[in-house]
């Protein structure tokens, strides 16, 4: 019976809150640590992340340079700590803009339907059919390589996932009774959309945005590998891996530590996504 | 005997010699085609190729070549007519990338199949050198006419040591020994495979794993480590490559010679050599590369002196200078140099903004003069210094290699040197040019670097001359 | 004879079709006729029961009347205006004078809004009371549906089904409607709660005098609550009339089968001997003639041909059946 | 009276919620005779489904567990069975008919295959034979054209046919007991009547015993032989349908009967039971019904009454049962 | 058969997508600063030569004329000449399409081979150590940059263990399969991480579904319930996830082909972008788009085949 089912769902909701999903805490903790490192980078980093020490090039991890140094004699640990600032920023902005654009367009399409929906779905088809790394490369090259272009490209390419997700959600919720009730009570479109539809439709996207952050980070790294990422000598993990590529067999530490950094941050985000999904009962 | 497999960064794009300007293609052309006149192994002398001998008229306008008894890979003889056809094509064909360099030929005659007579419109000292360029490779007239350019570019009729057996686009070029080659007994290999492996790491791992006989473009960073490996031989062959820092003379502060000299002083080239080339390169001091014809070994070597640089800058009223530095995105070495120079110039009080750009776009910006500094490199295509000098100092159509360097005396001197046929006098003129360029700081010479190749221990004679030609006809696989 | 008052709602020839898309004629899917040529009228203050089996189009009709779903054709005259061709202003008037109560008490409330906010929202949108009085009006409304004013602070998920249903009703009452459409509003509730809601509706009807269209498939409830009843079968109204008359003297064989199938609480009466046989036909491919004829125990050869019989015209009790009244037994 | 086919004693089910243990089904005991239909009534959340699920040892969640009691099926306690033996009970001895056939049938496997699948698992028969039997069962439950419908999927059936298919699946291995958990709640009355007829026919022809879970007292009085009324996880009254529905002695049973809308005249207010049903975690102490009970006193709120015999085959759990006859009431 | 009706209509819906893609690529690649001819000529370019070659490739025409020629050529079965390779792009693609197709299909198959058992183990032992490990590993697997992972696999499996060739594509069937194991594995690892997580979630939901309970109530053993009733129902969303990710996977080949020196379309495309070889980029992008669209189409057919309820 519907009633019984709702009650069980409700119990599940509370259960999740009370007991708390482990991934949520774990993911949250990882992100928090990175966030703290990023904020306190000036205090924590032992060296200037861009200072080149000609006498200390390619040193393996030792007591002076815990994570070793790169081919310019820059301290890897300091670069990773400072890099956290950029990478968190990448994860944030790389998600926020697509999220905003995607949810707006997706909810309009889902709510109004008709030709708006048709046009938008066709555009989404086109963007999806395009190999997106290539699209991003092209956009970045047009705008000139760098972080801000990366954000723009990410926004132009990444919104489709959110649009699809929100649209699908809106379509489901649109036909639910409480939206019908809102219509029957004579509420305006904007009120129904912003007060009733979106708050309920957006959960899935919020959870998705966490795992999307992982993809954004990796995209950033791939873009750096192809040479279109942040401007040198900025410390950023993707570019550190890319620069350390040529030393992968001779000086493993240059790529391994930023690699681990990316993986842990990515894990933090996916764990958080898992936990949030479990908590809010959202499936990807 | 055996097939030599060589790993390189990219695959060939064509086998039509006139359609490309890329080393990657040229280096294979030299295996497949022969030229009238060759550059020798040391890269300092010309020697006979398909032309057995030649005479030059006193006014330097008429060249008479006697053709050797040689055959194309299809068995037909290589005649003077084929040679004339090849040169006409490079001069006149619509798609030719090199026509400008051969416009000087005004007339080609083939009185008999063994004789080719070329008449020039003006005397040209570098002319003979330019015939050694792979673009001027001798192709089969009959073959080209019957196959059409597209098919010929795919599977050419060869005049060189090897013939294209198969070409797996994007992957590898498979060459087989050409039994009809006039020096066929010199060739020991049964064939050659040029394999494209874009990733530097993968290429090195592949040769370490023994899946390749040789690999070219060894990254500087790997040389030391590869040398440790007893199964491998790392070859550092002198090249004509020179890396330099372009300066835009039209940007207001940089128009002053003193400022440019201060920049030169502020750059620690040895540090670049150490950090970027791992000590393998050598500090450069002239635009004519070391070991090349007319290189001036005593040219001025400005010391690294950031204090003096600072002082000169303030004297020139260019304190707190801020410069835009264009970096080629995706080029590891370029990025490394940029990062180093940024820190060095900062010590002389110069702020450098790195602007990373996709290479094709950097090119546009350089042409448009939208930059202050940028790193570029040059390798010679021909033996004679004229080609590079003209591009760099001769006020050619490319604004002196985009530097917009402007010195009329130099310009005149370049033109004079081109037509001067006396080697001793030419040498003097080129020394003068090198001195002036250095004084004017047309650009900043950074370093010379060798070709870096690695081969398995059982490979012998895997050698590249300074112009980049591989002598695979002498390579032996044991 | 006194003058017959004008009906509050008069529906004429209403059709709602779903689907029927496809631009290549051969492959086009036929439309699903969820509501098929329906006409009915509701007087002010009257309670009309709408019964029929699942999928017969009751909800669709209820929504179409309130213009909450698309409609294909027909007229819906509400308080003198044809809402089928309404302007935005007319629609707003309809919204201010009508309301809907839903089957799923949880589903009808936004899970993210507090109860009080949900009611306040209605009051604010329709400017029913000055904002200073909103708080007290919410308390009033909650009291009206038998809830403590303290419930204003709770969220729907913390309430029981019966409480939620009351909130839904309170919110519907906030617009002070002349017409309420209640779509199976007690079907999801426990038996012991059902009665509470029914009583509430009866109380409210007496106090406020609104008209109710009560959709249900529980005939016992309809008999208890409604003044008149309309029976639907596959998108059509097959019988309509005063409740007691229909229940005691059904004129359509389908109504009769329905009444027969009601499980009786009397332990001495067993199962009906021969329940209605067969499955309802697919609403996409309606049979020729009377849609009920394949299952009709009284079917005549004529029933399977021609146009489906129309609802009779005379008197309050009408049926769409060619059999003469009185032929049909319960 | 013959030996009951199933005898449940003191069955309790507990749930772990937020670290605390709640008893959801509390010491439920009843017998099921061969060929009998036992009605299990009570409102939503009273533990009807939980009781039936416990009998096939398939509680929906790992947080739920049977905490005590026994269920003797043909002389053996099924709570002592291992997983293998339990599989034979499920489908073999006890068939389950669920309320919502559309979600309880595998949407991507054809109906016939699902029946044949369980036949093949319980009986060593060939694929072909299983198919033949499946078609036969489909015919028995009144699916027209069963050979063709064998390959149909659940979504291609109407609601009534789906419920028949569900019954067919439960019947696949000729079980002795059918547990029908609200099998008609989602259906309309006409179809409901068909299904009820089918179930009573099955009882009459095959002699299966049926536990019929519902909250519709009308259905109970039409088809059941005996009724158990549940409230808050306990059986509060158990007896023949005439005794329980006609003259229920527990105030809750009486209230339930009284609040049927059919009981009364048009326009008249429906009689109701005050208050709300208890929710899990908020179970009142003492008698679970006492906060809503008209006959409550202090005793009710402290001591939980046991199910005691109050007449032939009639048990009630109340400190103050409604008297049988006016005479009894007077004393 | 009515359910497969969409097969007839879908091609019409694809057309606007392809037109959209072609226009976007056409405009996009041409709006990237940089001149293909200048790239072709390198440092020795002179304005005269540039003009001449531009004329030869029709690059001096207005852009809409170029598009018109492109479409016209398309109808004649040509895609225009590559500026760098001087042959028709279609011919280039023909030689390059196989490795990429093999890479993508191999990766998908391998990913499924990895994901299905892992998800099955995780879901059937929810909350166990195995479940946690699988979830953690798949979460971590998502975070590895492909180019880094690729090199690591080469070092371990090719250089150290000498099991697979370092790079390249191979010529005979067996040889090709041997060469493609590592690249496919690299792509599959990330993909299987996504799939495992998702499939696990679907499986869990489906394991708790009513129909699974009903199957258990029929006395079916857990294994049978799982593989016959739970898995088939969970695979449909996974198929769709795979289809959605196919674009991502195809993009991934760009990096992988460069790491593993596979002569595929990804490399062609990257070089095309960097050398501004308009026609190549155009052709390859269209090809990729077509592939994405076809894969989605295929996924639709599979979904319809796997789930009798679905109508499209
Ligand atoms: N949005 C829709 N699109 C297509 N068909 C629909 C839609 N809504 C309803 N239908 C169909 O219209 C018919 C009537 O549906 P409706 O919900 O009105 O029936 P109902 O009488 O309210 O049934 P129930 O008693 O189950 O609520 C059904 O066959 C249904 O499948
Ligand atoms: N997974 C669960 N965990 C904890 N409690 C549960 C769970 N599932 C059900 N319950 C609780 O168990 C109690 C009994 O539920 P049950 O499903 O047996 O009721 P029911 O009488 O069958 O009701 P309905 O008429 O709604 O089917 C309810 O209070 C319910 O909230
Ligand atoms: Mg309805
Ligand atoms: Mg239940
Ligand atoms: Ni119910």
């Amino acid at each position: 019976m519907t009633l019984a089912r709702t009650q069980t769902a409700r119990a599940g909701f509370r259960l999740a809150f009370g007991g708390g999903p482990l991934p949520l805490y774990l993911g949250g903790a990882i992100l928090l640590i990175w966030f703290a490192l990023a904020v306190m980078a000036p205090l924590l980093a032992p060296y200037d992340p861009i200072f080149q020490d000609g006498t200390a090039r390619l040193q393996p991890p030792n007591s002076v340079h815990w994570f070793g140094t790169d081919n310019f004699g820059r301290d890897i640990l300091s670069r990773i700590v400072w890099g956290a600032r950029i990478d968190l920023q990448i994860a944030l902005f790389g998600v926020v803009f697509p999220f905003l654009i995607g949810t707006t367009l997706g909810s309009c399409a889902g709510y109004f339907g008709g030709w708006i929906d048709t046009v938008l779905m066709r555009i989404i088809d086109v963007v999806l059919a395009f190999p997106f790394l290539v699209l991003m490369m092209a956009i970045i090259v047009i705008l000139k390589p760098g972080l801000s272009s990366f954000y723009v490209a990410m926004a132009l390419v990444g919104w489709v996932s959110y649009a699809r997700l929100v649209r699908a959600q809106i379509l489901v919720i649109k036909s639910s009774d409480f939206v019908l009730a809102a219509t029957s009570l004579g509420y305006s479109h904007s009120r129904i959309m912003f007060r009733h539809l979106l708050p309920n439709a957006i959960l899935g996207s919020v959870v998705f945005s966490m795992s999307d952050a992982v993809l954004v980070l990796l995209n950033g790294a791939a873009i750096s590998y192809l040479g279109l990422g942040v401007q040198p000598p900025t410390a950023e993990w993707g570019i550190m891996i890319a620069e350390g590529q040529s030393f992968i067999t001779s000086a493993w530490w240059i790529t391994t530590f930023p690699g681990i950094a990316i993986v842990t941050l990515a894990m933090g985000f996916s764990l958080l996504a898992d936990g949030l999904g479990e908590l809010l009962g959202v499936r990807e | 005997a055996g097939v030599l497999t060589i790993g390189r960064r990219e695959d060939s794009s064509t086998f039509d010699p006139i359609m490309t300007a890329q080393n990657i293609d040229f280096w294979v052309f030299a295996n497949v085609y022969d030229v009238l006149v060759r550059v020798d192994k040391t890269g300092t002398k010309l020697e006979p190729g398909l032309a057995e001998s030649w005479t030059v008229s006193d006014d330097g306008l008429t060249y008479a070549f006697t053709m050797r008894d040689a055959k194309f890979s299809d068995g037909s003889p290589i005649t003077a007519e084929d040679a004339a056809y090849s040169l006409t094509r490079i001069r006149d064909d619509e798609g030719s990338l090199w026509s400008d360099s051969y416009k000087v030929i005004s007339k080609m005659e083939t009185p008999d199949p063994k004789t080719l007579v070329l008449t020039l419109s003006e005397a040209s000292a570098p002319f003979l050198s330019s015939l050694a360029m792979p673009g001027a490779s001798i192709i089969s007239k009959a073959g080209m006419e019957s196959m059409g350019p597209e098919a010929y570019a795919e599977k050419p009729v060869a005049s060189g040591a090897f013939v294209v057996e198969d070409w797996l686009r994007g992957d590898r070029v498979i060459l087989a020994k050409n039994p009809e080659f006039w020096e066929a007994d010199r060739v020991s290999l049964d064939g050659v495979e040029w394999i494209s492996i874009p990733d530097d790491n993968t290429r090195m791992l592949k040769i370490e794993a023994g899946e390749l006989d040789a690999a070219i473009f060894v990254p500087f960073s790997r040389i030391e480590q590869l040398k440790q490996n007893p199964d491998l031989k790392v070859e550092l062959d002198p090249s004509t490559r020179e890396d330099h820092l372009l300066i835009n003379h039209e940007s207001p502060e940089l128009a002053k010679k003193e400022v440019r000299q201060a920049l030169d002083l502020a750059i620690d080239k040895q540090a670049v050599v150490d950090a970027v080339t791992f000590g393998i390169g050598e500090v450069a001091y002239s635009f004519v590369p070391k070991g090349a014809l007319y290189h001036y070994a005593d040219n001025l070597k400005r010391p690294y002196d950031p204090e003096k640089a600072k002082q000169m800058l303030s004297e020139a009223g260019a304190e707190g200078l801020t410069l835009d530095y264009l970096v080629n995105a995706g080029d590891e070495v370029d990025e490394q140099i940029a990062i180093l120079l940024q820190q060095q110039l900062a010590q002389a009080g110069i702020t450098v903004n790195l602007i990373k750009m996709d290479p094709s776009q950097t090119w546009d910006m350089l042409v448009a003069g939208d930059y202050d500094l940028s790193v570029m490199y040059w390798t010679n295509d021909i033996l004679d210094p004229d080609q590079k000098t003209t591009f760099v100092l001769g006020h050619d159509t490319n604004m002196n290699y985009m530097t917009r360097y402007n010195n009329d005396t130099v310009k005149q001197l370049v033109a004079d040197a081109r037509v001067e046929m006396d080697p001793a006098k030419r040498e003097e003129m080129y020394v003068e040019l090198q001195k002036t360029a250095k004084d004017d700081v047309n650009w900043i010479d950074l370093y010379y670097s060798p070709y870096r190749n690695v081969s398995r221990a059982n490979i012998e004679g895997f050698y590249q001359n300074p112009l980049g030609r591989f002598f695979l006809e002498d390579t032996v696989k044991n | 004879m006194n003058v017959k008052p004008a009906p509050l709602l008069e529906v004429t020839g209403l059709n709602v079709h779903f689907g029927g898309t496809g631009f290549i004629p051969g492959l086009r899917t036929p439309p699903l006729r969820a509501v098929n040529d329906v006409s009915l009228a509701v007087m002010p203050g009257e309670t009309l029961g709408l019964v029929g089996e699942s999928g017969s189009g009751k909800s669709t009709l209820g929504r179409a009347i309130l213009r909450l779903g698309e409609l294909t054709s027909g007229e819906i005259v509400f308080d003198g205006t044809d809402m089928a061709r309404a302007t935005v202003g007319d629609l707003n008037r309809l919204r201010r004078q009508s309301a809907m109560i839903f089957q799923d008490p949880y589903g009808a409330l936004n899970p993210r809004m507090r109860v009080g906010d949900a009611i306040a929202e209605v009051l604010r949108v329709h400017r029913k009371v000055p904002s200073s009085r909103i708080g007290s009006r919410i308390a009033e409304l909650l009291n009206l549906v038998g809830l403590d004013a303290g419930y204003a602070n709770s969220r729907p998920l913390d309430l029981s089904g019966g409480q939620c249903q009351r909130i839904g009703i309170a919110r519907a009452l906030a617009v002070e409607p002349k017409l309420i459409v209640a779509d199976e509003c007690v079907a999801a509730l426990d038996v012991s709660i059902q009665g509470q809601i029914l009583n509430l509706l009866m109380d409210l009807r007496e106090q406020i005098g609104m008209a109710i269209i009560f959709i249900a498939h529980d005939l016992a409830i309809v008999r208890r609550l409604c003044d008149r009843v309309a029976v639907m079968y596959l998108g059509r109204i097959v019988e309509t009339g005063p409740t007691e008359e229909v229940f005691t003297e059904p004129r359509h064989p389908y109504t009769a089968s329905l009444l027969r199938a009601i499980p009786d609480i009397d332990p001495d009466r067993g199962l009906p001997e021969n329940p209605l046989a067969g499955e309802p036909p697919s609403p996409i491919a309606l049979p020729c003639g009377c849609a009920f004829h394949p299952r009709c125990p009284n079917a005549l050869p004529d029933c399977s041909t021609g146009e489906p019989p129309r609802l009779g015209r005379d008197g309050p009790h009408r049926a769409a059946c060619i059999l003469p009244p009185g032929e049909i037994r319960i | 009276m013959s030996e009951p086919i199933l005898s449940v004693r003191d069955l309790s089910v507990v749930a772990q919620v937020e670290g605390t243990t709640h008893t959801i089904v509390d010491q439920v005991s009843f017998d099921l005779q061969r060929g009998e239909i036992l009605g299990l009534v009570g409102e939503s959340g009273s533990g009807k489904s939980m009781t039936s699920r416990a009998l096939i040892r398939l509680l929906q969640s790992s947080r739920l567990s049977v905490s005590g009691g026994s269920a003797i099926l043909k002389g053996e306690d099924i709570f002592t069975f291992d997983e293998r033996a339990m599989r034979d009970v499920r489908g073999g001895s006890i068939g389950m008919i669920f309320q919502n056939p559309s979600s309880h049938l595998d949407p991507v496997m054809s109906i016939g295959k699902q029946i044949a699948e369980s036949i093949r698992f319980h009986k060593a028969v060939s694929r072909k034979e299983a198919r033949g039997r499946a078609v036969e069962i489909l015919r028995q439950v009144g699916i027209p054209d069963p050979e063709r419908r064998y390959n149909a999927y659940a979504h291609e059936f109407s609601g009534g046919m789906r419920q028949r298919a569900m019954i067919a699946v439960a019947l696949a291995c000729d079980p002795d007991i059918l547990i029908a958990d609200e099998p008609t709640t989602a259906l309309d009355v006409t179809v409901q009547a068909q299904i009820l007829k089918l179930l009573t026919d099955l009882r009459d022809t095959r002699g299966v015993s049926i536990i019929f879970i519902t909250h519709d007292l009308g259905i109970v009085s039409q088809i059941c032989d005996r009724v158990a009324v549940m409230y808050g996880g306990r059986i509060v009254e158990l007896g023949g349908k005439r005794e329980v529905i006609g003259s229920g002695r527990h105030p809750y049973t009486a209230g339930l009967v009284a609040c049927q809308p059919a009981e009364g005249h048009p326009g008249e207010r429906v009689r109701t039971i005050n208050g709300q049903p208890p929710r899990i975690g908020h179970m009142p102490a003492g008698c679970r019904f006492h906060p809503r009970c008209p006959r409550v006193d202090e005793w009710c709120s402290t001591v939980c009454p046991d199910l005691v015999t109050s007449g032939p085959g009639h048990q009630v759990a109340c400190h103050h049962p409604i008297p049988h006859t006016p005479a009894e009431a007077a004393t | 058969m009515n359910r497969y009706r969409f097969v007839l209509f879908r091609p019409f819906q694809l057309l606007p997508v392809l037109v959209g893609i072609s226009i976007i690529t056409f405009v996009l690649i041409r709006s990237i600063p940089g001149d293909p001819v200048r790239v072709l000529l390198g440092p020795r370019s002179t304005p005269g030569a540039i003009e001449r070659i531009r004329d030869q490739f029709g690059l001096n025409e207005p852009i809409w004329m170029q598009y018109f020629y492109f479409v016209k050529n398309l109808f004649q079965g040509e895609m225009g000449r590559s500026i760098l390779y001087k042959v028709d792009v279609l011919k280039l693609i023909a030689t390059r399409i196989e490795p990429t197709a093999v890479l993508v299909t191999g990766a998908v198959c391998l990913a499924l081979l990895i994901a299905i058992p892992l998800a099955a183990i995780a879901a059937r032992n929810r909350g166990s150590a195995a479940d946690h490990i699988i979830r953690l590993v798949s979460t971590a697997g998502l975070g590895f940059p492909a180019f880094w992972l690729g090199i690591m696999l080469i070092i371990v499996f090719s250089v150290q263990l000498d099991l697979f060739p370092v790079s390249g594509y191979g010529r005979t069937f067996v040889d090709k399969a041997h060469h493609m194991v590592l690249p496919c594995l690299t792509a599959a690892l990330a993909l299987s991480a996504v799939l495992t997580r998702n499939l696990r979630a679907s499986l869990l939901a489906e394991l708790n579904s009513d129909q699974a309970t009903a199957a258990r109530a029929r006395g079916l053993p857990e294994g049978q319930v799982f593989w016959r009733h739970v898995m088939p129902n969970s695979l449909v969303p996974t198929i769709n996830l795979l289809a959605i990710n196919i674009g991502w996977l195809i993009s991934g080949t760009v990096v992988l082909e460069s790491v593993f020196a596979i002569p595929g379309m990804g490399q062609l495309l990257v070089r095309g972008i960097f050398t501004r070889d308009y026609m190549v980029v155009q052709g390859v992008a269209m090809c990729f788009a077509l592939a994405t669209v076809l894969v989605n189409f295929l996924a639709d057919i599979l979904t319809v085949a796997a789930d009798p309820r679905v109508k499209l």
Side-chain angles (χ1 to χ4, degrees), chain A residues 229-252:
Chain A
V230 264
Q231 299 287 351
T234 321
E236 188 269 328
W237 302 338
I239 209 168
M240 284 171 78
I241 299 181
E243 283 178 1
Q245 265 270 300
S246 33
F247 304 95
I248 210 161
T249 47
S250 50
W252 55 269

Side-chain angles (χ1 to χ4, degrees), chain B residues 13 19 26 44 57 78 87 107 115 121 162 185 187-188 204 223 277 286 300 337 349 351 357-358 366 387 394 474:
Chain B
S13 67
M19 295 282 194
F26 276 4
T44 51
S57 66
I78 301 176
L87 293 177
K107 207 160 71 183
T115 313
S121 52
F162 298 91
D185 32 351
V187 181
S188 130
M204 293 308 122
I223 289 175
T277 73
S286 160
L300 172 67
I337 297 176
T351 316
M357 282 286 168
D358 166 59
L366 291 176
Q387 185 199 31
D474 297 334

Side-chain angles (χ1 to χ4, degrees), chain C residues 18 32 34 53-61 184 217 283:
Chain C
F18 290 113
L32 185 155
E53 66 188 355
S54 183
S56 54
K58 306 182 294 292
S59 304
T60 311
L61 174 60
E184 311 207 6
H217 53 216

